[in-house]
Amino acid sequence: EGVEQNYAEAVKWFRKAARQGNAKAQYDLGVCYYEGEGVEQNYAEAVKWFRKAAQQGNASAQYNLAVCYDNGKGVTQDYTKAVQWYRKAAKQGDAKAQFNLAICYNNGEGVKQDYVEAVQWYRKAARQGHAGAQLNLGVCYEYGEGVKQDYAKAVKWYCKAALQGHAKAQFNLALCYKKGKGITQDYAEAVKWYRKAAQQENVNAMRNLARCYRHGHGVEKNDVKAAILSTVALLQRLAR
C-alpha cells in the first residue's frame, strides 16, 4: 500500500512537470500509464505522453512509442510508424531500438527486407552489450545472412551472449563445440554449455545433454541422467 501511494505521489509530480513540457517527466508519466503504476493502466494515455516526449527527442520515449505501434497497444498497429520511431531512437544510440530495428529489417516488417541493413543494426546493439543482438549477429555469421559466412565470428558473438546468460546463445555455442564449427571440437565444452542452457529450461539443450549422457560424449556415460533429462525435456515441450 505504501509503495502504491509512493507511485501515486510520483505520478502527481510527473504530471505537473510533464504539463510544463519536461520531456523526462512526460516519458516517466507515460511509463506509469503503460505499467499501471500509481494510476489506472491506460495504453492510449501512455502513447499520448510517450509521443510528447518522443517529439522532443527523448530516445527512451521514441523506443516505447515504437513498441506501442509495433504491438498495437494504445494505438492502431502500424509497423511503418514503429520503424520510424525505432530508427529515431536507434540513431541516438538506444541499443534496444537498434536491436528491434534490425529485426524489422530482418523480417521485412514496416520496411523492405534487407539482411545487410539488419546486420548493421545488430552490430551496433551487440557492441553495446545487447545479448539478443549478439546472438542474432552470431546467427547471421553462421548462415551468411547479410554478411560473409564466418563460423569463427559466429562463435565469438555466441560466446559474448552466452556469457551474459542468454540460453539460446549457450545452446548454439554448445553446438559449435560439438561440431567443431568455428572452434576446436570439444565435447566437454559442449556439455558445459548444454548444461547452462538446460538449467534455463532450453528444451533442445536438455535433449542434447541427454544424448551426451547416453553416449558418454564429453561426460561419463549415465543412462539414468539421460532418461531423466529426456523425460523433463518431453514434459517441458508438452507444457508449451
Side-chain angles (χ1 to χ4, degrees):
E1 193 177 310
V3 172
E4 187 55 41
Q5 198 170 358
N6 287 343
Y7 280 129
E9 187 68 18
V11 165
K12 188 175 91 175
W13 290 107
F14 288 153
R15 193 185 309 280
K16 190 172 183 179
R19 284 174 174 165
Q20 289 173 9
N22 183 293
K24 178 69 166 66
Q26 291 169 342
Y27 163 73
D28 288 334
L29 183 57
V31 170
C32 290
Y33 273 112
Y34 192 90
E35 301 292 344
E37 290 178 341
V39 69
E40 191 175 331
Q41 192 174 49
N42 186 325
Y43 293 129
E45 197 67 17
V47 165
K48 168 187 157 183
W49 290 107
F50 285 150
R51 191 186 308 281
K52 287 180 184 289
Q55 286 169 343
Q56 290 198 68
N58 183 291
S60 297
Q62 290 169 344
Y63 169 75
N64 282 17
L65 182 57
V67 169
C68 290
Y69 273 116
D70 210 350
N71 300 318
K73 283 194 170 179
V75 70
T76 304
Q77 192 173 47
D78 189 326
Y79 293 133
T80 304
K81 285 183 178 173
V83 166
Q84 287 172 0
W85 288 107
Y86 281 142
R87 192 185 308 282
K88 286 180 187 289
K91 284 182 174 177
Q92 291 198 67
D94 187 292
K96 290 186 295 183
Q98 291 169 343
F99 174 66
N100 283 19
L101 181 58
I103 287 175
C104 291
Y105 273 111
N106 193 79
N107 299 338
E109 284 184 347
V111 71
K112 188 181 175 184
Q113 191 173 48
D114 187 332
Y115 293 130
V116 174
E117 194 68 19
V119 165
Q120 297 310 313
W121 290 108
Y122 281 142
R123 193 185 309 283
K124 286 178 188 290
R127 283 175 173 164
Q128 291 196 70
H130 190 292
Q134 291 170 342
L135 164 69
N136 286 16
L137 185 56
V139 170
C140 291
Y141 273 115
E142 183 172 359
Y143 296 100
E145 285 191 344
V147 71
K148 188 182 175 184
Q149 193 172 46
D150 188 324
Y151 294 138
K153 284 183 180 174
V155 167
K156 167 191 163 182
W157 289 108
Y158 287 152
C159 191
K160 285 179 184 289
L163 288 169
Q164 289 198 69
H166 196 296
K168 181 70 165 64
Q170 292 170 341
F171 173 71
N172 284 15
L173 182 58
L175 284 178
C176 292
Y177 272 114
K178 181 201 168 200
K179 298 173 183 176
K181 207 172 180 181
I183 201 162
T184 306
Q185 191 176 47
D186 188 329
Y187 288 126
E189 274 297 305
V191 165
K192 168 186 155 183
W193 289 107
Y194 280 143
R195 186 174 283 119
K196 286 181 184 291
Q199 285 167 349
Q200 294 194 67
E201 300 181 356
N202 183 294
V203 174
N204 290 328
M206 288 179 194
R207 288 169 62 190
N208 284 21
L209 185 57
R211 288 193 193 105
C212 291
Y213 275 113
R214 192 172 297 119
H215 301 292
H217 288 164
V219 70
E220 194 175 326
K221 197 171 182 295
N222 189 319
D223 289 332
V224 175
K225 283 186 178 179
I228 291 169
L229 279 161
S230 294
T231 304
V232 173
L234 178 62
L235 291 172
Q236 284 283 349
R237 196 174 285 280
L238 292 173
R240 287 176 185 176

